[in-house]
Amino acid sequence: MEQVDCAVIGAGVTGLAIARTLSANGREVIILEAENAFGTHTSARNSEVIHAGISYAPGSLKGRLCVAGKQALYAYCAERGIGHERIGKLIVAVQEADIPELHKYVQLGAAQGVTDLRLIGADEARDLEPEVACAGALLSPSTGIVDSHGLMLAYLGDAERHGAALALNSPVLAGRPTPDGIVLKVGGAEPMELLCGTVINAAGLGAQRVAAAITGMPAGKIPPLYYAIGHYFTLSRPSPFRRLVYPTGREGALRAHVTLDLGGQCKFGPDLDWRDGVDYSFDASREAVFYQAVRRYYPALRDGDLQPGYTGIRPRLAGPGSSMHNSATDFIVQDASEHGIPGLINLFGIESPGLTASLAMGEYVLERVAALAH
């Protein structure tokens, strides 16, 4: 039987960041990925936004790791030459009645230590983004965008330079605790059993399934998984926006906000719907709802401007009717003190702002691993 110090299950942005941090701190690491490439699910199907940290409950793990991760991510991208841009974001109150929502973001941001937010009037908002119709806005200058594939490639390169190995097409089928560590049953073309001192379950949309396959894992400690799908439509002409634009009240169809990629392509989304599993099929019938939602703040959108883009699925811990940022949807990082299995750390619900938080999550998991050793 093969042996390894640490196994990280899942080669998305979170798993790669954790592997990078563990290996840089002298741990022997293997990354087990079920797919034939890294970052093929949530990490590749998102808005590629570097979030400021202004939407999360005070004291939440999401908020803490987002703010710390944002600062670390900007520094890392600059140092490593990874494509990114601090373009800023406008959160817009489409009507006067929406302006109190802007003040809520200011309060949430202040609770996380985000102090660069600025409330502006409709005239200044139009000066910044002439195509935006609003009654007022909140400017978040530290919001940005990043090349998520380039970022993951850099994380993987760092991990491999410190001796980590990536095993693709290596799904984890089961696990069992032993006095010497956790034995993982790994499938694929070359099935094997792997004895691991520490196992980090960072499998994203598969995290609940992996946890349930480990002998002795209490079912009551595995949170429910809801497949929250978001559609993105792209703008078929050059972007009229220079910043991200988010309307207030973003649940459901109203979450059709403006995001930009590093090439300047404008897209609108995501909306919010639910699937029964990992199903990325695009529901083109949502186009009419997108036109209606986007025209609330971008009235110059013309018929025919929207083209189907892509979909992404978040591993949500709360289902329909829940607020995206309530306490039930916080990140869960769970160790033996909570589930009773020595050496196992489970990560559940790592959705947005997981990309922004990735470097901070790596440090946080390293601390939890070190604590388990004492």
Side-chain angles (χ1 to χ4, degrees), residues 78-116:
E79 176 190 335
R80 298 298 304 275
I82 297 160
H84 71 289
E85 193 172 349
R86 197 185 299 242
I87 60 175
K89 174 173 74 175
L90 280 184
I91 302 176
V92 299
V94 177
Q95 307 168 34
E96 289 284 345
D98 298 327
I99 287 179
E101 290 292 316
L102 301 180
H103 293 274
K104 290 182 183 178
Y105 284 110
V106 174
Q107 293 167 357
L108 286 172
Q112 307 290 358
V114 181
T115 58
D116 61 353

PDB file of all heavy atoms in Angstrom, residues 78-116:
ATOM      1  N   ALA A  78       0.225  40.084  -8.591  1.00  0.00           N
ATOM      2  CA  ALA A  78       1.222  41.060  -9.031  1.00  0.00           C
ATOM      3  C   ALA A  78       2.614  40.450  -9.049  1.00  0.00           C
ATOM      4  O   ALA A  78       3.389  40.650 -10.003  1.00  0.00           O
ATOM      5  CB  ALA A  78       1.190  42.280  -8.111  1.00  0.00           C
ATOM      6  N   GLU A  79       2.928  39.679  -8.028  1.00  0.00           N
ATOM      7  CA  GLU A  79       4.255  39.062  -7.918  1.00  0.00           C
ATOM      8  C   GLU A  79       4.482  38.018  -9.011  1.00  0.00           C
ATOM      9  O   GLU A  79       5.573  37.923  -9.578  1.00  0.00           O
ATOM     10  CB  GLU A  79       4.393  38.407  -6.537  1.00  0.00           C
ATOM     11  CG  GLU A  79       5.684  37.645  -6.321  1.00  0.00           C
ATOM     12  CD  GLU A  79       5.652  36.813  -5.045  1.00  0.00           C
ATOM     13  OE1 GLU A  79       4.906  37.155  -4.118  1.00  0.00           O
ATOM     14  OE2 GLU A  79       6.373  35.794  -4.998  1.00  0.00           O
ATOM     15  N   ARG A  80       3.431  37.258  -9.320  1.00  0.00           N
ATOM     16  CA  ARG A  80       3.570  36.137 -10.250  1.00  0.00           C
ATOM     17  C   ARG A  80       3.188  36.477 -11.686  1.00  0.00           C
ATOM     18  O   ARG A  80       3.254  35.618 -12.567  1.00  0.00           O
ATOM     19  CB  ARG A  80       2.722  34.950  -9.754  1.00  0.00           C
ATOM     20  CG  ARG A  80       3.138  34.409  -8.391  1.00  0.00           C
ATOM     21  CD  ARG A  80       4.558  33.863  -8.414  1.00  0.00           C
ATOM     22  NE  ARG A  80       4.698  32.855  -9.445  1.00  0.00           N
ATOM     23  CZ  ARG A  80       4.383  31.573  -9.280  1.00  0.00           C
ATOM     24  NH1 ARG A  80       3.956  31.153  -8.105  1.00  0.00           N
ATOM     25  NH2 ARG A  80       4.524  30.725 -10.266  1.00  0.00           N
ATOM     26  N   GLY A  81       2.736  37.710 -11.930  1.00  0.00           N
ATOM     27  CA  GLY A  81       2.355  38.088 -13.280  1.00  0.00           C
ATOM     28  C   GLY A  81       1.084  37.420 -13.767  1.00  0.00           C
ATOM     29  O   GLY A  81       0.914  37.180 -14.972  1.00  0.00           O
ATOM     30  N   ILE A  82       0.170  37.128 -12.858  1.00  0.00           N
ATOM     31  CA  ILE A  82      -1.114  36.509 -13.228  1.00  0.00           C
ATOM     32  C   ILE A  82      -2.093  37.615 -13.619  1.00  0.00           C
ATOM     33  O   ILE A  82      -2.195  38.637 -12.942  1.00  0.00           O
ATOM     34  CB  ILE A  82      -1.673  35.695 -12.038  1.00  0.00           C
ATOM     35  CG1 ILE A  82      -0.715  34.546 -11.703  1.00  0.00           C
ATOM     36  CG2 ILE A  82      -3.063  35.156 -12.346  1.00  0.00           C
ATOM     37  CD1 ILE A  82      -0.905  33.994 -10.317  1.00  0.00           C
ATOM     38  N   GLY A  83      -2.782  37.417 -14.716  1.00  0.00           N
ATOM     39  CA  GLY A  83      -3.704  38.422 -15.209  1.00  0.00           C
ATOM     40  C   GLY A  83      -4.756  38.796 -14.177  1.00  0.00           C
ATOM     41  O   GLY A  83      -5.469  37.926 -13.654  1.00  0.00           O
ATOM     42  N   HIS A  84      -4.843  40.079 -13.858  1.00  0.00           N
ATOM     43  CA  HIS A  84      -5.857  40.570 -12.918  1.00  0.00           C
ATOM     44  C   HIS A  84      -5.977  42.073 -13.111  1.00  0.00           C
ATOM     45  O   HIS A  84      -5.089  42.704 -13.690  1.00  0.00           O
ATOM     46  CB  HIS A  84      -5.470  40.258 -11.468  1.00  0.00           C
ATOM     47  CG  HIS A  84      -4.328  41.066 -10.950  1.00  0.00           C
ATOM     48  ND1 HIS A  84      -3.022  40.892 -11.381  1.00  0.00           N
ATOM     49  CD2 HIS A  84      -4.282  42.089 -10.048  1.00  0.00           C
ATOM     50  CE1 HIS A  84      -2.230  41.750 -10.768  1.00  0.00           C
ATOM     51  NE2 HIS A  84      -2.970  42.496  -9.958  1.00  0.00           N
ATOM     52  N   GLU A  85      -7.056  42.642 -12.626  1.00  0.00           N
ATOM     53  CA  GLU A  85      -7.233  44.084 -12.723  1.00  0.00           C
ATOM     54  C   GLU A  85      -8.178  44.531 -11.616  1.00  0.00           C
ATOM     55  O   GLU A  85      -9.246  43.949 -11.424  1.00  0.00           O
ATOM     56  CB  GLU A  85      -7.798  44.464 -14.088  1.00  0.00           C
ATOM     57  CG  GLU A  85      -7.714  45.949 -14.380  1.00  0.00           C
ATOM     58  CD  GLU A  85      -8.108  46.283 -15.806  1.00  0.00           C
ATOM     59  OE1 GLU A  85      -8.239  45.349 -16.635  1.00  0.00           O
ATOM     60  OE2 GLU A  85      -8.303  47.478 -16.082  1.00  0.00           O
ATOM     61  N   ARG A  86      -7.776  45.563 -10.907  1.00  0.00           N
ATOM     62  CA  ARG A  86      -8.597  46.123  -9.829  1.00  0.00           C
ATOM     63  C   ARG A  86      -9.521  47.171 -10.473  1.00  0.00           C
ATOM     64  O   ARG A  86      -9.273  48.375 -10.398  1.00  0.00           O
ATOM     65  CB  ARG A  86      -7.692  46.758  -8.766  1.00  0.00           C
ATOM     66  CG  ARG A  86      -8.367  47.004  -7.431  1.00  0.00           C
ATOM     67  CD  ARG A  86      -7.429  47.745  -6.497  1.00  0.00           C
ATOM     68  NE  ARG A  86      -6.209  47.023  -6.212  1.00  0.00           N
ATOM     69  CZ  ARG A  86      -5.828  46.615  -5.002  1.00  0.00           C
ATOM     70  NH1 ARG A  86      -6.585  46.866  -3.956  1.00  0.00           N
ATOM     71  NH2 ARG A  86      -4.688  45.979  -4.836  1.00  0.00           N
ATOM     72  N   ILE A  87     -10.612  46.712 -11.091  1.00  0.00           N
ATOM     73  CA  ILE A  87     -11.434  47.617 -11.887  1.00  0.00           C
ATOM     74  C   ILE A  87     -12.520  48.309 -11.072  1.00  0.00           C
ATOM     75  O   ILE A  87     -13.085  49.309 -11.512  1.00  0.00           O
ATOM     76  CB  ILE A  87     -12.072  46.894 -13.089  1.00  0.00           C
ATOM     77  CG1 ILE A  87     -12.980  45.744 -12.637  1.00  0.00           C
ATOM     78  CG2 ILE A  87     -11.022  46.404 -14.046  1.00  0.00           C
ATOM     79  CD1 ILE A  87     -13.721  45.085 -13.788  1.00  0.00           C
ATOM     80  N   GLY A  88     -12.836  47.787  -9.883  1.00  0.00           N
ATOM     81  CA  GLY A  88     -13.865  48.401  -9.064  1.00  0.00           C
ATOM     82  C   GLY A  88     -15.261  47.916  -9.423  1.00  0.00           C
ATOM     83  O   GLY A  88     -15.486  47.284 -10.460  1.00  0.00           O
ATOM     84  N   LYS A  89     -16.187  48.232  -8.542  1.00  0.00           N
ATOM     85  CA  LYS A  89     -17.575  47.787  -8.714  1.00  0.00           C
ATOM     86  C   LYS A  89     -18.517  48.874  -8.253  1.00  0.00           C
ATOM     87  O   LYS A  89     -18.262  49.561  -7.258  1.00  0.00           O
ATOM     88  CB  LYS A  89     -17.810  46.511  -7.896  1.00  0.00           C
ATOM     89  CG  LYS A  89     -19.251  46.034  -7.875  1.00  0.00           C
ATOM     90  CD  LYS A  89     -19.388  44.686  -7.209  1.00  0.00           C
ATOM     91  CE  LYS A  89     -19.255  44.749  -5.702  1.00  0.00           C
ATOM     92  NZ  LYS A  89     -19.502  43.424  -5.071  1.00  0.00           N
ATOM     93  N   LEU A  90     -19.619  49.027  -8.985  1.00  0.00           N
ATOM     94  CA  LEU A  90     -20.724  49.869  -8.541  1.00  0.00           C
ATOM     95  C   LEU A  90     -21.890  48.976  -8.131  1.00  0.00           C
ATOM     96  O   LEU A  90     -22.344  48.143  -8.935  1.00  0.00           O
ATOM     97  CB  LEU A  90     -21.203  50.791  -9.675  1.00  0.00           C
ATOM     98  CG  LEU A  90     -20.427  52.061  -9.986  1.00  0.00           C
ATOM     99  CD1 LEU A  90     -21.174  52.839 -11.071  1.00  0.00           C
ATOM    100  CD2 LEU A  90     -20.254  52.932  -8.756  1.00  0.00           C
ATOM    101  N   ILE A  91     -22.339  49.121  -6.909  1.00  0.00           N
ATOM    102  CA  ILE A  91     -23.607  48.518  -6.506  1.00  0.00           C
ATOM    103  C   ILE A  91     -24.652  49.611  -6.653  1.00  0.00           C
ATOM    104  O   ILE A  91     -24.531  50.680  -6.043  1.00  0.00           O
ATOM    105  CB  ILE A  91     -23.562  48.008  -5.058  1.00  0.00           C
ATOM    106  CG1 ILE A  91     -22.431  46.984  -4.890  1.00  0.00           C
ATOM    107  CG2 ILE A  91     -24.891  47.382  -4.668  1.00  0.00           C
ATOM    108  CD1 ILE A  91     -22.253  46.498  -3.471  1.00  0.00           C
ATOM    109  N   VAL A  92     -25.652  49.365  -7.484  1.00  0.00           N
ATOM    110  CA  VAL A  92     -26.567  50.443  -7.847  1.00  0.00           C
ATOM    111  C   VAL A  92     -27.956  50.228  -7.250  1.00  0.00           C
ATOM    112  O   VAL A  92     -28.487  49.109  -7.253  1.00  0.00           O
ATOM    113  CB  VAL A  92     -26.656  50.618  -9.385  1.00  0.00           C
ATOM    114  CG1 VAL A  92     -25.304  50.982  -9.956  1.00  0.00           C
ATOM    115  CG2 VAL A  92     -27.203  49.381 -10.070  1.00  0.00           C
ATOM    116  N   ALA A  93     -28.506  51.330  -6.737  1.00  0.00           N
ATOM    117  CA  ALA A  93     -29.896  51.370  -6.303  1.00  0.00           C
ATOM    118  C   ALA A  93     -30.706  51.868  -7.489  1.00  0.00           C
ATOM    119  O   ALA A  93     -30.610  53.033  -7.878  1.00  0.00           O
ATOM    120  CB  ALA A  93     -30.051  52.304  -5.105  1.00  0.00           C
ATOM    121  N   VAL A  94     -31.472  50.974  -8.088  1.00  0.00           N
ATOM    122  CA  VAL A  94     -32.208  51.332  -9.298  1.00  0.00           C
ATOM    123  C   VAL A  94     -33.294  52.368  -8.973  1.00  0.00           C
ATOM    124  O   VAL A  94     -33.568  53.265  -9.756  1.00  0.00           O
ATOM    125  CB  VAL A  94     -32.815  50.079  -9.955  1.00  0.00           C
ATOM    126  CG1 VAL A  94     -33.642  50.443 -11.172  1.00  0.00           C
ATOM    127  CG2 VAL A  94     -31.695  49.107 -10.363  1.00  0.00           C
ATOM    128  N   GLN A  95     -33.903  52.246  -7.788  1.00  0.00           N
ATOM    129  CA  GLN A  95     -34.936  53.178  -7.348  1.00  0.00           C
ATOM    130  C   GLN A  95     -34.526  53.786  -6.015  1.00  0.00           C
ATOM    131  O   GLN A  95     -33.691  53.221  -5.289  1.00  0.00           O
ATOM    132  CB  GLN A  95     -36.272  52.446  -7.184  1.00  0.00           C
ATOM    133  CG  GLN A  95     -36.723  51.655  -8.401  1.00  0.00           C
ATOM    134  CD  GLN A  95     -37.878  50.732  -8.076  1.00  0.00           C
ATOM    135  OE1 GLN A  95     -38.721  51.054  -7.242  1.00  0.00           O
ATOM    136  NE2 GLN A  95     -37.906  49.579  -8.716  1.00  0.00           N
ATOM    137  N   GLU A  96     -35.154  54.902  -5.664  1.00  0.00           N
ATOM    138  CA  GLU A  96     -34.901  55.535  -4.359  1.00  0.00           C
ATOM    139  C   GLU A  96     -35.127  54.548  -3.225  1.00  0.00           C
ATOM    140  O   GLU A  96     -34.398  54.551  -2.225  1.00  0.00           O
ATOM    141  CB  GLU A  96     -35.819  56.746  -4.177  1.00  0.00           C
ATOM    142  CG  GLU A  96     -35.468  57.933  -5.051  1.00  0.00           C
ATOM    143  CD  GLU A  96     -34.245  58.693  -4.547  1.00  0.00           C
ATOM    144  OE1 GLU A  96     -33.853  58.483  -3.386  1.00  0.00           O
ATOM    145  OE2 GLU A  96     -33.682  59.487  -5.335  1.00  0.00           O
ATOM    146  N   ALA A  97     -36.128  53.687  -3.373  1.00  0.00           N
ATOM    147  CA  ALA A  97     -36.461  52.734  -2.312  1.00  0.00           C
ATOM    148  C   ALA A  97     -35.343  51.726  -2.063  1.00  0.00           C
ATOM    149  O   ALA A  97     -35.317  51.073  -1.010  1.00  0.00           O
ATOM    150  CB  ALA A  97     -37.757  52.005  -2.662  1.00  0.00           C
ATOM    151  N   ASP A  98     -34.423  51.596  -3.010  1.00  0.00           N
ATOM    152  CA  ASP A  98     -33.321  50.638  -2.870  1.00  0.00           C
ATOM    153  C   ASP A  98     -32.120  51.226  -2.135  1.00  0.00           C
ATOM    154  O   ASP A  98     -31.197  50.488  -1.768  1.00  0.00           O
ATOM    155  CB  ASP A  98     -32.845  50.161  -4.253  1.00  0.00           C
ATOM    156  CG  ASP A  98     -33.927  49.441  -5.035  1.00  0.00           C
ATOM    157  OD1 ASP A  98     -34.757  48.770  -4.401  1.00  0.00           O
ATOM    158  OD2 ASP A  98     -33.931  49.559  -6.279  1.00  0.00           O
ATOM    159  N   ILE A  99     -32.106  52.538  -1.910  1.00  0.00           N
ATOM    160  CA  ILE A  99     -30.915  53.177  -1.338  1.00  0.00           C
ATOM    161  C   ILE A  99     -30.576  52.659   0.066  1.00  0.00           C
ATOM    162  O   ILE A  99     -29.385  52.481   0.375  1.00  0.00           O
ATOM    163  CB  ILE A  99     -31.071  54.714  -1.372  1.00  0.00           C
ATOM    164  CG1 ILE A  99     -30.904  55.194  -2.831  1.00  0.00           C
ATOM    165  CG2 ILE A  99     -30.047  55.407  -0.467  1.00  0.00           C
ATOM    166  CD1 ILE A  99     -31.052  56.672  -3.049  1.00  0.00           C
ATOM    167  N   PRO A 100     -31.564  52.345   0.935  1.00  0.00           N
ATOM    168  CA  PRO A 100     -31.188  51.756   2.228  1.00  0.00           C
ATOM    169  C   PRO A 100     -30.358  50.482   2.106  1.00  0.00           C
ATOM    170  O   PRO A 100     -29.550  50.183   2.986  1.00  0.00           O
ATOM    171  CB  PRO A 100     -32.543  51.483   2.886  1.00  0.00           C
ATOM    172  CG  PRO A 100     -33.457  52.516   2.305  1.00  0.00           C
ATOM    173  CD  PRO A 100     -33.005  52.664   0.885  1.00  0.00           C
ATOM    174  N   GLU A 101     -30.540  49.744   1.001  1.00  0.00           N
ATOM    175  CA  GLU A 101     -29.726  48.537   0.793  1.00  0.00           C
ATOM    176  C   GLU A 101     -28.242  48.898   0.658  1.00  0.00           C
ATOM    177  O   GLU A 101     -27.376  48.131   1.094  1.00  0.00           O
ATOM    178  CB  GLU A 101     -30.189  47.799  -0.464  1.00  0.00           C
ATOM    179  CG  GLU A 101     -31.547  47.143  -0.353  1.00  0.00           C
ATOM    180  CD  GLU A 101     -31.528  45.975   0.619  1.00  0.00           C
ATOM    181  OE1 GLU A 101     -30.578  45.175   0.573  1.00  0.00           O
ATOM    182  OE2 GLU A 101     -32.470  45.875   1.433  1.00  0.00           O
ATOM    183  N   LEU A 102     -27.957  50.034   0.069  1.00  0.00           N
ATOM    184  CA  LEU A 102     -26.559  50.459  -0.072  1.00  0.00           C
ATOM    185  C   LEU A 102     -25.924  50.684   1.298  1.00  0.00           C
ATOM    186  O   LEU A 102     -24.766  50.331   1.527  1.00  0.00           O
ATOM    187  CB  LEU A 102     -26.466  51.733  -0.909  1.00  0.00           C
ATOM    188  CG  LEU A 102     -27.033  51.671  -2.333  1.00  0.00           C
ATOM    189  CD1 LEU A 102     -26.855  53.023  -3.020  1.00  0.00           C
ATOM    190  CD2 LEU A 102     -26.362  50.570  -3.142  1.00  0.00           C
ATOM    191  N   HIS A 103     -26.684  51.269   2.201  1.00  0.00           N
ATOM    192  CA  HIS A 103     -26.172  51.512   3.559  1.00  0.00           C
ATOM    193  C   HIS A 103     -25.895  50.193   4.282  1.00  0.00           C
ATOM    194  O   HIS A 103     -24.953  50.102   5.076  1.00  0.00           O
ATOM    195  CB  HIS A 103     -27.156  52.370   4.345  1.00  0.00           C
ATOM    196  CG  HIS A 103     -27.278  53.774   3.819  1.00  0.00           C
ATOM    197  ND1 HIS A 103     -26.426  54.791   4.195  1.00  0.00           N
ATOM    198  CD2 HIS A 103     -28.134  54.320   2.916  1.00  0.00           C
ATOM    199  CE1 HIS A 103     -26.755  55.911   3.572  1.00  0.00           C
ATOM    200  NE2 HIS A 103     -27.793  55.647   2.777  1.00  0.00           N
ATOM    201  N   LYS A 104     -26.693  49.167   3.991  1.00  0.00           N
ATOM    202  CA  LYS A 104     -26.446  47.851   4.603  1.00  0.00           C
ATOM    203  C   LYS A 104     -25.092  47.298   4.173  1.00  0.00           C
ATOM    204  O   LYS A 104     -24.358  46.722   4.976  1.00  0.00           O
ATOM    205  CB  LYS A 104     -27.566  46.872   4.227  1.00  0.00           C
ATOM    206  CG  LYS A 104     -28.908  47.174   4.869  1.00  0.00           C
ATOM    207  CD  LYS A 104     -29.935  46.129   4.477  1.00  0.00           C
ATOM    208  CE  LYS A 104     -31.309  46.443   5.055  1.00  0.00           C
ATOM    209  NZ  LYS A 104     -32.334  45.454   4.632  1.00  0.00           N
ATOM    210  N   TYR A 105     -24.761  47.501   2.889  1.00  0.00           N
ATOM    211  CA  TYR A 105     -23.450  47.039   2.421  1.00  0.00           C
ATOM    212  C   TYR A 105     -22.321  47.797   3.107  1.00  0.00           C
ATOM    213  O   TYR A 105     -21.279  47.217   3.434  1.00  0.00           O
ATOM    214  CB  TYR A 105     -23.339  47.193   0.899  1.00  0.00           C
ATOM    215  CG  TYR A 105     -24.084  46.155   0.107  1.00  0.00           C
ATOM    216  CD1 TYR A 105     -25.221  46.492  -0.628  1.00  0.00           C
ATOM    217  CD2 TYR A 105     -23.661  44.832   0.084  1.00  0.00           C
ATOM    218  CE1 TYR A 105     -25.909  45.541  -1.365  1.00  0.00           C
ATOM    219  CE2 TYR A 105     -24.351  43.875  -0.647  1.00  0.00           C
ATOM    220  CZ  TYR A 105     -25.475  44.239  -1.364  1.00  0.00           C
ATOM    221  OH  TYR A 105     -26.154  43.295  -2.081  1.00  0.00           O
ATOM    222  N   VAL A 106     -22.503  49.075   3.327  1.00  0.00           N
ATOM    223  CA  VAL A 106     -21.486  49.865   4.034  1.00  0.00           C
ATOM    224  C   VAL A 106     -21.273  49.297   5.431  1.00  0.00           C
ATOM    225  O   VAL A 106     -20.133  49.131   5.898  1.00  0.00           O
ATOM    226  CB  VAL A 106     -21.897  51.352   4.100  1.00  0.00           C
ATOM    227  CG1 VAL A 106     -20.911  52.135   4.963  1.00  0.00           C
ATOM    228  CG2 VAL A 106     -21.951  51.953   2.700  1.00  0.00           C
ATOM    229  N   GLN A 107     -22.370  48.977   6.110  1.00  0.00           N
ATOM    230  CA  GLN A 107     -22.274  48.437   7.468  1.00  0.00           C
ATOM    231  C   GLN A 107     -21.621  47.050   7.478  1.00  0.00           C
ATOM    232  O   GLN A 107     -20.756  46.773   8.317  1.00  0.00           O
ATOM    233  CB  GLN A 107     -23.670  48.369   8.092  1.00  0.00           C
ATOM    234  CG  GLN A 107     -24.300  49.736   8.341  1.00  0.00           C
ATOM    235  CD  GLN A 107     -25.781  49.657   8.658  1.00  0.00           C
ATOM    236  OE1 GLN A 107     -26.382  48.580   8.645  1.00  0.00           O
ATOM    237  NE2 GLN A 107     -26.388  50.806   8.935  1.00  0.00           N
ATOM    238  N   LEU A 108     -22.019  46.199   6.527  1.00  0.00           N
ATOM    239  CA  LEU A 108     -21.409  44.867   6.450  1.00  0.00           C
ATOM    240  C   LEU A 108     -19.919  44.965   6.131  1.00  0.00           C
ATOM    241  O   LEU A 108     -19.101  44.250   6.712  1.00  0.00           O
ATOM    242  CB  LEU A 108     -22.113  44.024   5.378  1.00  0.00           C
ATOM    243  CG  LEU A 108     -23.498  43.483   5.716  1.00  0.00           C
ATOM    244  CD1 LEU A 108     -24.138  42.851   4.486  1.00  0.00           C
ATOM    245  CD2 LEU A 108     -23.410  42.443   6.838  1.00  0.00           C
ATOM    246  N   GLY A 109     -19.578  45.870   5.210  1.00  0.00           N
ATOM    247  CA  GLY A 109     -18.168  46.044   4.873  1.00  0.00           C
ATOM    248  C   GLY A 109     -17.361  46.533   6.054  1.00  0.00           C
ATOM    249  O   GLY A 109     -16.261  46.031   6.325  1.00  0.00           O
ATOM    250  N   ALA A 110     -17.911  47.522   6.785  1.00  0.00           N
ATOM    251  CA  ALA A 110     -17.196  48.054   7.954  1.00  0.00           C
ATOM    252  C   ALA A 110     -16.957  46.966   8.986  1.00  0.00           C
ATOM    253  O   ALA A 110     -15.901  46.918   9.630  1.00  0.00           O
ATOM    254  CB  ALA A 110     -17.989  49.203   8.561  1.00  0.00           C
ATOM    255  N   ALA A 111     -17.923  46.065   9.145  1.00  0.00           N
ATOM    256  CA  ALA A 111     -17.774  44.973  10.116  1.00  0.00           C
ATOM    257  C   ALA A 111     -16.648  44.023   9.732  1.00  0.00           C
ATOM    258  O   ALA A 111     -16.072  43.348  10.591  1.00  0.00           O
ATOM    259  CB  ALA A 111     -19.087  44.205  10.246  1.00  0.00           C
ATOM    260  N   GLN A 112     -16.320  43.980   8.429  1.00  0.00           N
ATOM    261  CA  GLN A 112     -15.222  43.121   7.959  1.00  0.00           C
ATOM    262  C   GLN A 112     -13.918  43.896   7.820  1.00  0.00           C
ATOM    263  O   GLN A 112     -12.918  43.333   7.381  1.00  0.00           O
ATOM    264  CB  GLN A 112     -15.580  42.502   6.592  1.00  0.00           C
ATOM    265  CG  GLN A 112     -16.899  41.781   6.519  1.00  0.00           C
ATOM    266  CD  GLN A 112     -16.931  40.481   7.303  1.00  0.00           C
ATOM    267  OE1 GLN A 112     -15.932  40.078   7.886  1.00  0.00           O
ATOM    268  NE2 GLN A 112     -18.078  39.832   7.320  1.00  0.00           N
ATOM    269  N   GLY A 113     -13.926  45.189   8.136  1.00  0.00           N
ATOM    270  CA  GLY A 113     -12.722  45.991   7.987  1.00  0.00           C
ATOM    271  C   GLY A 113     -12.524  46.564   6.604  1.00  0.00           C
ATOM    272  O   GLY A 113     -11.423  47.010   6.259  1.00  0.00           O
ATOM    273  N   VAL A 114     -13.591  46.565   5.787  1.00  0.00           N
ATOM    274  CA  VAL A 114     -13.514  47.160   4.451  1.00  0.00           C
ATOM    275  C   VAL A 114     -13.937  48.621   4.576  1.00  0.00           C
ATOM    276  O   VAL A 114     -15.111  48.923   4.795  1.00  0.00           O
ATOM    277  CB  VAL A 114     -14.425  46.420   3.452  1.00  0.00           C
ATOM    278  CG1 VAL A 114     -14.297  47.041   2.058  1.00  0.00           C
ATOM    279  CG2 VAL A 114     -14.065  44.942   3.397  1.00  0.00           C
ATOM    280  N   THR A 115     -12.990  49.516   4.448  1.00  0.00           N
ATOM    281  CA  THR A 115     -13.248  50.932   4.762  1.00  0.00           C
ATOM    282  C   THR A 115     -13.142  51.849   3.545  1.00  0.00           C
ATOM    283  O   THR A 115     -13.189  53.067   3.688  1.00  0.00           O
ATOM    284  CB  THR A 115     -12.252  51.412   5.829  1.00  0.00           C
ATOM    285  OG1 THR A 115     -10.917  51.216   5.337  1.00  0.00           O
ATOM    286  CG2 THR A 115     -12.427  50.642   7.128  1.00  0.00           C
ATOM    287  N   ASP A 116     -13.006  51.285   2.336  1.00  0.00           N
ATOM    288  CA  ASP A 116     -12.825  52.141   1.157  1.00  0.00           C
ATOM    289  C   ASP A 116     -14.112  52.339   0.356  1.00  0.00           C
ATOM    290  O   ASP A 116     -14.088  52.864  -0.756  1.00  0.00           O
ATOM    291  CB  ASP A 116     -11.727  51.558   0.251  1.00  0.00           C
ATOM    292  CG  ASP A 116     -12.066  50.161  -0.276  1.00  0.00           C
ATOM    293  OD1 ASP A 116     -13.090  49.585   0.165  1.00  0.00           O
ATOM    294  OD2 ASP A 116     -11.312  49.648  -1.118  1.00  0.00           O
TER     295      ASP A 116
END
